[in-house]
Amino acid sequence: MNPKHQLTPEQQAWYDKACACVDKERLRKLNLDLVNIHSPTGAEKEASEFMSQYMADMGLNAKYQPVNELSGNAVGELNGSGEGATMLLYAPIDTHLEGSEEDLPMVGDELRDDMRPQGYLRDDLVIGLGSSNPKGMVSGLAEAVNAVIDAGVPLKGNIVLAFAGGGMPSMVPERNNYGVSTGVSYMLTHGVTADFGIIFKPWYEVYHEHPGMCWFKVSVKGDMGYSGIPRGTPGFRSSIVPAATVIQELEQWLPEYTKANTSDQIAPEGWIAAVRSGWPHRPAFPAATTELFIDMRCNPHQTTSDVRYQFDQAMKDIVARHPEVEADWEMYASCPGSMTPEDHWIVQSARSAWENQEGKEYPGAPMLSGQTDAAIINKLGVPLVRVGYPWIGDADVPEEFAAGLGGMGVSNIGDMVAPVENIIYSIIDSMTRTREEVGV
């Protein structure tokens, strides 16, 4: 453990008292209550208003920060004596699915319970859309601050507890194209700030590097045709068949991109995520264009322009080797990666919290590619570390919810206690010291 982050006897007493105040029933209830407030990307108003009131009831100076008529953020501040730094504790509040029949068949043949915005309890589990990600993250951070308040820890610094909409890597056209960190970008450019912070996400690890993301659309060209035309008829070229060639070529290239751009903690993956062509209600007329949509992640040292250059070169090579392929392409969304120096106070505090909990040296985090609001928070000037909790793929998850990503909708309350205690450790380590002591 970094000696700077070894708690003093007085801090250790505060930590022990705060950990004793962690209330699993309070955590479980908040988690379930949030699942039952539907908050798909771009429509988070009710959930954020609920958390604003919840934080006010905790004793925080809390407010709902509206962004538009459908969405807004929840921000609460717990003020210390004024001698210390300001710490941001952050999680997004939107779910990645709509939680309705319109998600079918993209989520599978049926809408499982972990994909529905109606929660229920099963032993130590909270089941329902987003119960783990993001509702468990929101609940865990709130419980950490609740425990610090209940323990009467004398803070010198200020805690900003904040939850934003639009955190999922998606864009919703019918809701102001919300997504890709819309809410937190608004938050941090409209008065909310901090000296450093923690983002709470899945995986019981410590990350100081935060991957970015670039989205590309490839349009493979052909001619609009008619299904009764024999193959080889002059004037008709399929767009779908050469698109299949592009798919196979990109599938060969994307792993090479990952290898070439791996950094300390980030192995940036890439996937062909969607294909669009023609009219399902008009299959007699093959379409002139088949569109491929690709999500590529990037490490903190890459610019989005560099990612676009690498993709351009790959596509030019594919087209050159396959004269039957006519295509154009564009990058239509991007968010750069970012990082906090590994020796930064908050990174070392988070590692020390993990080591204190586990009783051993932190071995290092497995490679990551999951993009979060951390990238933009860091870019907007708040040094940030990502910490988390055991993911839903653990053996405790009921078999019917184990396949695929699902609704990220199984939260194990028992697994949340140690991560919440780690948040408490960093709060006491950082917020009971002066600004000078934490290096700001």
Side-chain angles (χ1 to χ4, degrees), residues 31-65:
N31 199 168
L32 182 61
D33 287 346
L34 280 172
V35 171
N36 287 320
I37 302 173
H38 195 22
S39 58
T41 300
E44 304 91 348
K45 179 180 180 180
E46 185 180 357
S48 290
E49 287 181 331
F50 173 86
M51 282 309 302
S52 299
Q53 185 59 56
Y54 187 90
M55 290 188 288
D57 293 342
M58 288 168 58
L60 276 62
N61 179 16
K63 66 178 180 180
Y64 172 69
Q65 182 187 53

PDB file of all heavy atoms in Angstrom, residues 31-65:
ATOM      1  N   ASN A  31     -31.845   0.473  -4.670  1.00  0.00           N
ATOM      2  CA  ASN A  31     -31.600  -0.228  -5.928  1.00  0.00           C
ATOM      3  C   ASN A  31     -32.924  -0.650  -6.578  1.00  0.00           C
ATOM      4  O   ASN A  31     -33.170  -0.410  -7.766  1.00  0.00           O
ATOM      5  CB  ASN A  31     -30.703  -1.441  -5.661  1.00  0.00           C
ATOM      6  CG  ASN A  31     -30.020  -1.979  -6.903  1.00  0.00           C
ATOM      7  OD1 ASN A  31     -29.104  -2.801  -6.810  1.00  0.00           O
ATOM      8  ND2 ASN A  31     -30.431  -1.555  -8.076  1.00  0.00           N
ATOM      9  N   LEU A  32     -33.807  -1.241  -5.786  1.00  0.00           N
ATOM     10  CA  LEU A  32     -35.102  -1.694  -6.307  1.00  0.00           C
ATOM     11  C   LEU A  32     -35.974  -0.505  -6.711  1.00  0.00           C
ATOM     12  O   LEU A  32     -36.625  -0.536  -7.770  1.00  0.00           O
ATOM     13  CB  LEU A  32     -35.807  -2.542  -5.248  1.00  0.00           C
ATOM     14  CG  LEU A  32     -37.164  -3.145  -5.653  1.00  0.00           C
ATOM     15  CD1 LEU A  32     -37.015  -4.071  -6.847  1.00  0.00           C
ATOM     16  CD2 LEU A  32     -37.782  -3.882  -4.468  1.00  0.00           C
ATOM     17  N   ASP A  33     -36.007   0.527  -5.889  1.00  0.00           N
ATOM     18  CA  ASP A  33     -36.802   1.712  -6.223  1.00  0.00           C
ATOM     19  C   ASP A  33     -36.368   2.314  -7.556  1.00  0.00           C
ATOM     20  O   ASP A  33     -37.206   2.731  -8.376  1.00  0.00           O
ATOM     21  CB  ASP A  33     -36.691   2.764  -5.124  1.00  0.00           C
ATOM     22  CG  ASP A  33     -37.462   2.402  -3.854  1.00  0.00           C
ATOM     23  OD1 ASP A  33     -38.298   1.476  -3.917  1.00  0.00           O
ATOM     24  OD2 ASP A  33     -37.215   3.043  -2.819  1.00  0.00           O
ATOM     25  N   LEU A  34     -35.060   2.366  -7.789  1.00  0.00           N
ATOM     26  CA  LEU A  34     -34.559   2.938  -9.032  1.00  0.00           C
ATOM     27  C   LEU A  34     -34.892   2.076 -10.241  1.00  0.00           C
ATOM     28  O   LEU A  34     -35.182   2.594 -11.324  1.00  0.00           O
ATOM     29  CB  LEU A  34     -33.048   3.148  -8.941  1.00  0.00           C
ATOM     30  CG  LEU A  34     -32.584   4.397  -8.193  1.00  0.00           C
ATOM     31  CD1 LEU A  34     -31.075   4.374  -8.001  1.00  0.00           C
ATOM     32  CD2 LEU A  34     -33.003   5.656  -8.931  1.00  0.00           C
ATOM     33  N   VAL A  35     -34.832   0.757 -10.082  1.00  0.00           N
ATOM     34  CA  VAL A  35     -35.212  -0.124 -11.192  1.00  0.00           C
ATOM     35  C   VAL A  35     -36.651   0.150 -11.614  1.00  0.00           C
ATOM     36  O   VAL A  35     -36.978   0.138 -12.808  1.00  0.00           O
ATOM     37  CB  VAL A  35     -35.035  -1.603 -10.798  1.00  0.00           C
ATOM     38  CG1 VAL A  35     -35.638  -2.527 -11.870  1.00  0.00           C
ATOM     39  CG2 VAL A  35     -33.562  -1.935 -10.605  1.00  0.00           C
ATOM     40  N   ASN A  36     -37.508   0.444 -10.650  1.00  0.00           N
ATOM     41  CA  ASN A  36     -38.922   0.669 -10.936  1.00  0.00           C
ATOM     42  C   ASN A  36     -39.216   2.074 -11.468  1.00  0.00           C
ATOM     43  O   ASN A  36     -40.379   2.410 -11.717  1.00  0.00           O
ATOM     44  CB  ASN A  36     -39.754   0.402  -9.679  1.00  0.00           C
ATOM     45  CG  ASN A  36     -39.860  -1.082  -9.374  1.00  0.00           C
ATOM     46  OD1 ASN A  36     -40.017  -1.895 -10.277  1.00  0.00           O
ATOM     47  ND2 ASN A  36     -39.754  -1.448  -8.113  1.00  0.00           N
ATOM     48  N   ILE A  37     -38.174   2.882 -11.638  1.00  0.00           N
ATOM     49  CA  ILE A  37     -38.323   4.176 -12.305  1.00  0.00           C
ATOM     50  C   ILE A  37     -37.610   4.058 -13.654  1.00  0.00           C
ATOM     51  O   ILE A  37     -36.378   4.065 -13.719  1.00  0.00           O
ATOM     52  CB  ILE A  37     -37.713   5.323 -11.477  1.00  0.00           C
ATOM     53  CG1 ILE A  37     -38.349   5.389 -10.092  1.00  0.00           C
ATOM     54  CG2 ILE A  37     -37.894   6.660 -12.210  1.00  0.00           C
ATOM     55  CD1 ILE A  37     -37.693   6.392  -9.162  1.00  0.00           C
ATOM     56  N   HIS A  38     -38.382   3.931 -14.705  1.00  0.00           N
ATOM     57  CA  HIS A  38     -37.804   3.678 -16.018  1.00  0.00           C
ATOM     58  C   HIS A  38     -36.977   4.879 -16.470  1.00  0.00           C
ATOM     59  O   HIS A  38     -37.430   6.028 -16.377  1.00  0.00           O
ATOM     60  CB  HIS A  38     -38.942   3.400 -17.010  1.00  0.00           C
ATOM     61  CG  HIS A  38     -38.480   2.783 -18.287  1.00  0.00           C
ATOM     62  ND1 HIS A  38     -37.297   2.093 -18.408  1.00  0.00           N
ATOM     63  CD2 HIS A  38     -39.058   2.756 -19.535  1.00  0.00           C
ATOM     64  CE1 HIS A  38     -37.171   1.648 -19.651  1.00  0.00           C
ATOM     65  NE2 HIS A  38     -38.217   2.048 -20.348  1.00  0.00           N
ATOM     66  N   SER A  39     -35.759   4.636 -16.955  1.00  0.00           N
ATOM     67  CA  SER A  39     -34.894   5.747 -17.378  1.00  0.00           C
ATOM     68  C   SER A  39     -34.074   5.366 -18.606  1.00  0.00           C
ATOM     69  O   SER A  39     -32.840   5.330 -18.562  1.00  0.00           O
ATOM     70  CB  SER A  39     -33.962   6.180 -16.235  1.00  0.00           C
ATOM     71  OG  SER A  39     -33.158   5.083 -15.796  1.00  0.00           O
ATOM     72  N   PRO A  40     -34.729   5.073 -19.735  1.00  0.00           N
ATOM     73  CA  PRO A  40     -33.968   4.795 -20.956  1.00  0.00           C
ATOM     74  C   PRO A  40     -33.210   6.049 -21.389  1.00  0.00           C
ATOM     75  O   PRO A  40     -33.564   7.176 -21.017  1.00  0.00           O
ATOM     76  CB  PRO A  40     -35.055   4.418 -21.967  1.00  0.00           C
ATOM     77  CG  PRO A  40     -36.285   5.104 -21.478  1.00  0.00           C
ATOM     78  CD  PRO A  40     -36.180   5.077 -19.986  1.00  0.00           C
ATOM     79  N   THR A  41     -32.169   5.856 -22.167  1.00  0.00           N
ATOM     80  CA  THR A  41     -31.326   6.968 -22.591  1.00  0.00           C
ATOM     81  C   THR A  41     -32.147   8.083 -23.226  1.00  0.00           C
ATOM     82  O   THR A  41     -32.919   7.862 -24.152  1.00  0.00           O
ATOM     83  CB  THR A  41     -30.266   6.475 -23.588  1.00  0.00           C
ATOM     84  OG1 THR A  41     -29.460   5.479 -22.952  1.00  0.00           O
ATOM     85  CG2 THR A  41     -29.370   7.620 -24.049  1.00  0.00           C
ATOM     86  N   GLY A  42     -31.982   9.276 -22.676  1.00  0.00           N
ATOM     87  CA  GLY A  42     -32.689  10.448 -23.178  1.00  0.00           C
ATOM     88  C   GLY A  42     -33.988  10.738 -22.474  1.00  0.00           C
ATOM     89  O   GLY A  42     -34.620  11.764 -22.740  1.00  0.00           O
ATOM     90  N   ALA A  43     -34.410   9.853 -21.562  1.00  0.00           N
ATOM     91  CA  ALA A  43     -35.660  10.060 -20.818  1.00  0.00           C
ATOM     92  C   ALA A  43     -35.437   9.761 -19.341  1.00  0.00           C
ATOM     93  O   ALA A  43     -36.140   8.955 -18.734  1.00  0.00           O
ATOM     94  CB  ALA A  43     -36.768   9.186 -21.391  1.00  0.00           C
ATOM     95  N   GLU A  44     -34.467  10.431 -18.745  1.00  0.00           N
ATOM     96  CA  GLU A  44     -34.048  10.135 -17.374  1.00  0.00           C
ATOM     97  C   GLU A  44     -34.633  11.088 -16.340  1.00  0.00           C
ATOM     98  O   GLU A  44     -34.271  11.016 -15.168  1.00  0.00           O
ATOM     99  CB  GLU A  44     -32.512  10.185 -17.276  1.00  0.00           C
ATOM    100  CG  GLU A  44     -31.780   9.281 -18.240  1.00  0.00           C
ATOM    101  CD  GLU A  44     -31.448   9.965 -19.560  1.00  0.00           C
ATOM    102  OE1 GLU A  44     -31.988  11.075 -19.801  1.00  0.00           O
ATOM    103  OE2 GLU A  44     -30.668   9.392 -20.333  1.00  0.00           O
ATOM    104  N   LYS A  45     -35.516  11.980 -16.744  1.00  0.00           N
ATOM    105  CA  LYS A  45     -35.991  13.037 -15.862  1.00  0.00           C
ATOM    106  C   LYS A  45     -36.518  12.507 -14.534  1.00  0.00           C
ATOM    107  O   LYS A  45     -36.111  12.962 -13.463  1.00  0.00           O
ATOM    108  CB  LYS A  45     -37.080  13.854 -16.555  1.00  0.00           C
ATOM    109  CG  LYS A  45     -37.652  14.973 -15.683  1.00  0.00           C
ATOM    110  CD  LYS A  45     -38.739  15.761 -16.414  1.00  0.00           C
ATOM    111  CE  LYS A  45     -39.296  16.857 -15.523  1.00  0.00           C
ATOM    112  NZ  LYS A  45     -40.363  17.634 -16.207  1.00  0.00           N
ATOM    113  N   GLU A  46     -37.420  11.517 -14.569  1.00  0.00           N
ATOM    114  CA  GLU A  46     -38.046  11.046 -13.337  1.00  0.00           C
ATOM    115  C   GLU A  46     -37.021  10.424 -12.396  1.00  0.00           C
ATOM    116  O   GLU A  46     -37.051  10.667 -11.177  1.00  0.00           O
ATOM    117  CB  GLU A  46     -39.149  10.036 -13.659  1.00  0.00           C
ATOM    118  CG  GLU A  46     -39.930   9.586 -12.433  1.00  0.00           C
ATOM    119  CD  GLU A  46     -41.023   8.583 -12.753  1.00  0.00           C
ATOM    120  OE1 GLU A  46     -41.226   8.270 -13.936  1.00  0.00           O
ATOM    121  OE2 GLU A  46     -41.661   8.102 -11.790  1.00  0.00           O
ATOM    122  N   ALA A  47     -36.098   9.633 -12.932  1.00  0.00           N
ATOM    123  CA  ALA A  47     -35.078   8.997 -12.089  1.00  0.00           C
ATOM    124  C   ALA A  47     -34.145  10.040 -11.477  1.00  0.00           C
ATOM    125  O   ALA A  47     -33.773   9.954 -10.302  1.00  0.00           O
ATOM    126  CB  ALA A  47     -34.285   7.980 -12.900  1.00  0.00           C
ATOM    127  N   SER A  48     -33.767  11.037 -12.262  1.00  0.00           N
ATOM    128  CA  SER A  48     -32.873  12.074 -11.745  1.00  0.00           C
ATOM    129  C   SER A  48     -33.578  12.944 -10.707  1.00  0.00           C
ATOM    130  O   SER A  48     -32.979  13.350  -9.703  1.00  0.00           O
ATOM    131  CB  SER A  48     -32.346  12.932 -12.893  1.00  0.00           C
ATOM    132  OG  SER A  48     -31.447  12.190 -13.698  1.00  0.00           O
ATOM    133  N   GLU A  49     -34.855  13.243 -10.936  1.00  0.00           N
ATOM    134  CA  GLU A  49     -35.610  13.992  -9.929  1.00  0.00           C
ATOM    135  C   GLU A  49     -35.719  13.189  -8.634  1.00  0.00           C
ATOM    136  O   GLU A  49     -35.595  13.739  -7.530  1.00  0.00           O
ATOM    137  CB  GLU A  49     -36.995  14.336 -10.465  1.00  0.00           C
ATOM    138  CG  GLU A  49     -36.994  15.432 -11.518  1.00  0.00           C
ATOM    139  CD  GLU A  49     -38.382  15.777 -12.015  1.00  0.00           C
ATOM    140  OE1 GLU A  49     -39.266  14.879 -11.993  1.00  0.00           O
ATOM    141  OE2 GLU A  49     -38.597  16.929 -12.419  1.00  0.00           O
ATOM    142  N   PHE A  50     -35.930  11.886  -8.766  1.00  0.00           N
ATOM    143  CA  PHE A  50     -36.012  11.013  -7.582  1.00  0.00           C
ATOM    144  C   PHE A  50     -34.694  11.054  -6.807  1.00  0.00           C
ATOM    145  O   PHE A  50     -34.690  11.196  -5.576  1.00  0.00           O
ATOM    146  CB  PHE A  50     -36.330   9.583  -8.014  1.00  0.00           C
ATOM    147  CG  PHE A  50     -36.281   8.580  -6.895  1.00  0.00           C
ATOM    148  CD1 PHE A  50     -37.388   8.352  -6.093  1.00  0.00           C
ATOM    149  CD2 PHE A  50     -35.114   7.862  -6.633  1.00  0.00           C
ATOM    150  CE1 PHE A  50     -37.341   7.436  -5.054  1.00  0.00           C
ATOM    151  CE2 PHE A  50     -35.056   6.944  -5.596  1.00  0.00           C
ATOM    152  CZ  PHE A  50     -36.182   6.728  -4.808  1.00  0.00           C
ATOM    153  N   MET A  51     -33.564  10.942  -7.516  1.00  0.00           N
ATOM    154  CA  MET A  51     -32.277  10.950  -6.821  1.00  0.00           C
ATOM    155  C   MET A  51     -31.952  12.321  -6.234  1.00  0.00           C
ATOM    156  O   MET A  51     -31.296  12.411  -5.192  1.00  0.00           O
ATOM    157  CB  MET A  51     -31.160  10.491  -7.759  1.00  0.00           C
ATOM    158  CG  MET A  51     -31.107   8.989  -7.969  1.00  0.00           C
ATOM    159  SD  MET A  51     -31.099   8.022  -6.417  1.00  0.00           S
ATOM    160  CE  MET A  51     -29.642   8.665  -5.571  1.00  0.00           C
ATOM    161  N   SER A  52     -32.425  13.377  -6.864  1.00  0.00           N
ATOM    162  CA  SER A  52     -32.224  14.714  -6.291  1.00  0.00           C
ATOM    163  C   SER A  52     -32.915  14.816  -4.941  1.00  0.00           C
ATOM    164  O   SER A  52     -32.345  15.322  -3.964  1.00  0.00           O
ATOM    165  CB  SER A  52     -32.760  15.786  -7.242  1.00  0.00           C
ATOM    166  OG  SER A  52     -32.074  15.752  -8.471  1.00  0.00           O
ATOM    167  N   GLN A  53     -34.152  14.325  -4.863  1.00  0.00           N
ATOM    168  CA  GLN A  53     -34.880  14.347  -3.596  1.00  0.00           C
ATOM    169  C   GLN A  53     -34.246  13.402  -2.583  1.00  0.00           C
ATOM    170  O   GLN A  53     -34.150  13.723  -1.393  1.00  0.00           O
ATOM    171  CB  GLN A  53     -36.344  13.963  -3.823  1.00  0.00           C
ATOM    172  CG  GLN A  53     -37.221  14.083  -2.581  1.00  0.00           C
ATOM    173  CD  GLN A  53     -37.234  15.487  -2.020  1.00  0.00           C
ATOM    174  OE1 GLN A  53     -37.561  16.442  -2.725  1.00  0.00           O
ATOM    175  NE2 GLN A  53     -36.872  15.652  -0.746  1.00  0.00           N
ATOM    176  N   TYR A  54     -33.793  12.245  -3.051  1.00  0.00           N
ATOM    177  CA  TYR A  54     -33.144  11.272  -2.158  1.00  0.00           C
ATOM    178  C   TYR A  54     -31.904  11.899  -1.515  1.00  0.00           C
ATOM    179  O   TYR A  54     -31.686  11.770  -0.302  1.00  0.00           O
ATOM    180  CB  TYR A  54     -32.764  10.020  -2.941  1.00  0.00           C
ATOM    181  CG  TYR A  54     -32.250   8.881  -2.087  1.00  0.00           C
ATOM    182  CD1 TYR A  54     -33.113   7.930  -1.554  1.00  0.00           C
ATOM    183  CD2 TYR A  54     -30.883   8.752  -1.818  1.00  0.00           C
ATOM    184  CE1 TYR A  54     -32.643   6.882  -0.768  1.00  0.00           C
ATOM    185  CE2 TYR A  54     -30.404   7.715  -1.028  1.00  0.00           C
ATOM    186  CZ  TYR A  54     -31.289   6.781  -0.508  1.00  0.00           C
ATOM    187  OH  TYR A  54     -30.808   5.751   0.271  1.00  0.00           O
ATOM    188  N   MET A  55     -31.105  12.600  -2.317  1.00  0.00           N
ATOM    189  CA  MET A  55     -29.897  13.229  -1.776  1.00  0.00           C
ATOM    190  C   MET A  55     -30.239  14.373  -0.835  1.00  0.00           C
ATOM    191  O   MET A  55     -29.549  14.585   0.175  1.00  0.00           O
ATOM    192  CB  MET A  55     -29.001  13.696  -2.921  1.00  0.00           C
ATOM    193  CG  MET A  55     -28.354  12.548  -3.677  1.00  0.00           C
ATOM    194  SD  MET A  55     -27.103  13.084  -4.877  1.00  0.00           S
ATOM    195  CE  MET A  55     -28.134  13.808  -6.160  1.00  0.00           C
ATOM    196  N   ALA A  56     -31.299  15.103  -1.141  1.00  0.00           N
ATOM    197  CA  ALA A  56     -31.738  16.164  -0.234  1.00  0.00           C
ATOM    198  C   ALA A  56     -32.146  15.572   1.116  1.00  0.00           C
ATOM    199  O   ALA A  56     -31.815  16.119   2.176  1.00  0.00           O
ATOM    200  CB  ALA A  56     -32.893  16.938  -0.847  1.00  0.00           C
ATOM    201  N   ASP A  57     -32.841  14.444   1.085  1.00  0.00           N
ATOM    202  CA  ASP A  57     -33.250  13.769   2.318  1.00  0.00           C
ATOM    203  C   ASP A  57     -32.036  13.246   3.096  1.00  0.00           C
ATOM    204  O   ASP A  57     -32.098  13.115   4.327  1.00  0.00           O
ATOM    205  CB  ASP A  57     -34.202  12.621   2.006  1.00  0.00           C
ATOM    206  CG  ASP A  57     -35.547  13.094   1.457  1.00  0.00           C
ATOM    207  OD1 ASP A  57     -35.879  14.285   1.632  1.00  0.00           O
ATOM    208  OD2 ASP A  57     -36.255  12.274   0.831  1.00  0.00           O
ATOM    209  N   MET A  58     -30.938  12.949   2.394  1.00  0.00           N
ATOM    210  CA  MET A  58     -29.706  12.537   3.059  1.00  0.00           C
ATOM    211  C   MET A  58     -29.052  13.697   3.803  1.00  0.00           C
ATOM    212  O   MET A  58     -28.207  13.481   4.674  1.00  0.00           O
ATOM    213  CB  MET A  58     -28.704  11.994   2.029  1.00  0.00           C
ATOM    214  CG  MET A  58     -29.049  10.645   1.441  1.00  0.00           C
ATOM    215  SD  MET A  58     -28.004  10.252  -0.019  1.00  0.00           S
ATOM    216  CE  MET A  58     -26.344  10.338   0.681  1.00  0.00           C
ATOM    217  N   GLY A  59     -29.406  14.917   3.415  1.00  0.00           N
ATOM    218  CA  GLY A  59     -28.796  16.096   4.014  1.00  0.00           C
ATOM    219  C   GLY A  59     -27.862  16.838   3.090  1.00  0.00           C
ATOM    220  O   GLY A  59     -27.189  17.790   3.510  1.00  0.00           O
ATOM    221  N   LEU A  60     -27.819  16.445   1.821  1.00  0.00           N
ATOM    222  CA  LEU A  60     -26.970  17.116   0.854  1.00  0.00           C
ATOM    223  C   LEU A  60     -27.676  18.347   0.292  1.00  0.00           C
ATOM    224  O   LEU A  60     -28.907  18.425   0.277  1.00  0.00           O
ATOM    225  CB  LEU A  60     -26.606  16.181  -0.300  1.00  0.00           C
ATOM    226  CG  LEU A  60     -25.424  15.228  -0.087  1.00  0.00           C
ATOM    227  CD1 LEU A  60     -25.670  14.250   1.048  1.00  0.00           C
ATOM    228  CD2 LEU A  60     -25.111  14.475  -1.380  1.00  0.00           C
ATOM    229  N   ASN A  61     -26.898  19.279  -0.174  1.00  0.00           N
ATOM    230  CA  ASN A  61     -27.423  20.406  -0.929  1.00  0.00           C
ATOM    231  C   ASN A  61     -27.644  19.895  -2.349  1.00  0.00           C
ATOM    232  O   ASN A  61     -26.713  19.835  -3.153  1.00  0.00           O
ATOM    233  CB  ASN A  61     -26.427  21.573  -0.911  1.00  0.00           C
ATOM    234  CG  ASN A  61     -26.910  22.765  -1.701  1.00  0.00           C
ATOM    235  OD1 ASN A  61     -28.093  22.870  -2.032  1.00  0.00           O
ATOM    236  ND2 ASN A  61     -25.998  23.658  -2.034  1.00  0.00           N
ATOM    237  N   ALA A  62     -28.868  19.508  -2.657  1.00  0.00           N
ATOM    238  CA  ALA A  62     -29.148  18.761  -3.877  1.00  0.00           C
ATOM    239  C   ALA A  62     -30.034  19.550  -4.825  1.00  0.00           C
ATOM    240  O   ALA A  62     -30.840  20.396  -4.403  1.00  0.00           O
ATOM    241  CB  ALA A  62     -29.804  17.427  -3.543  1.00  0.00           C
ATOM    242  N   LYS A  63     -29.888  19.249  -6.115  1.00  0.00           N
ATOM    243  CA  LYS A  63     -30.731  19.891  -7.117  1.00  0.00           C
ATOM    244  C   LYS A  63     -30.902  18.969  -8.318  1.00  0.00           C
ATOM    245  O   LYS A  63     -30.070  18.097  -8.595  1.00  0.00           O
ATOM    246  CB  LYS A  63     -30.112  21.204  -7.582  1.00  0.00           C
ATOM    247  CG  LYS A  63     -28.801  21.054  -8.345  1.00  0.00           C
ATOM    248  CD  LYS A  63     -28.273  22.391  -8.828  1.00  0.00           C
ATOM    249  CE  LYS A  63     -26.960  22.214  -9.590  1.00  0.00           C
ATOM    250  NZ  LYS A  63     -26.431  23.530 -10.080  1.00  0.00           N
ATOM    251  N   TYR A  64     -32.010  19.182  -9.007  1.00  0.00           N
ATOM    252  CA  TYR A  64     -32.226  18.563 -10.310  1.00  0.00           C
ATOM    253  C   TYR A  64     -31.762  19.563 -11.355  1.00  0.00           C
ATOM    254  O   TYR A  64     -32.168  20.724 -11.340  1.00  0.00           O
ATOM    255  CB  TYR A  64     -33.701  18.225 -10.511  1.00  0.00           C
ATOM    256  CG  TYR A  64     -34.025  17.766 -11.918  1.00  0.00           C
ATOM    257  CD1 TYR A  64     -33.566  16.545 -12.384  1.00  0.00           C
ATOM    258  CD2 TYR A  64     -34.776  18.569 -12.777  1.00  0.00           C
ATOM    259  CE1 TYR A  64     -33.852  16.114 -13.671  1.00  0.00           C
ATOM    260  CE2 TYR A  64     -35.073  18.151 -14.065  1.00  0.00           C
ATOM    261  CZ  TYR A  64     -34.604  16.922 -14.509  1.00  0.00           C
ATOM    262  OH  TYR A  64     -34.884  16.513 -15.796  1.00  0.00           O
ATOM    263  N   GLN A  65     -30.886  19.127 -12.252  1.00  0.00           N
ATOM    264  CA  GLN A  65     -30.355  19.993 -13.295  1.00  0.00           C
ATOM    265  C   GLN A  65     -30.997  19.619 -14.627  1.00  0.00           C
ATOM    266  O   GLN A  65     -30.598  18.655 -15.276  1.00  0.00           O
ATOM    267  CB  GLN A  65     -28.829  19.838 -13.382  1.00  0.00           C
ATOM    268  CG  GLN A  65     -28.160  20.738 -14.406  1.00  0.00           C
ATOM    269  CD  GLN A  65     -26.685  20.409 -14.565  1.00  0.00           C
ATOM    270  OE1 GLN A  65     -26.314  19.268 -14.809  1.00  0.00           O
ATOM    271  NE2 GLN A  65     -25.843  21.429 -14.408  1.00  0.00           N
TER     272      GLN A  65
END
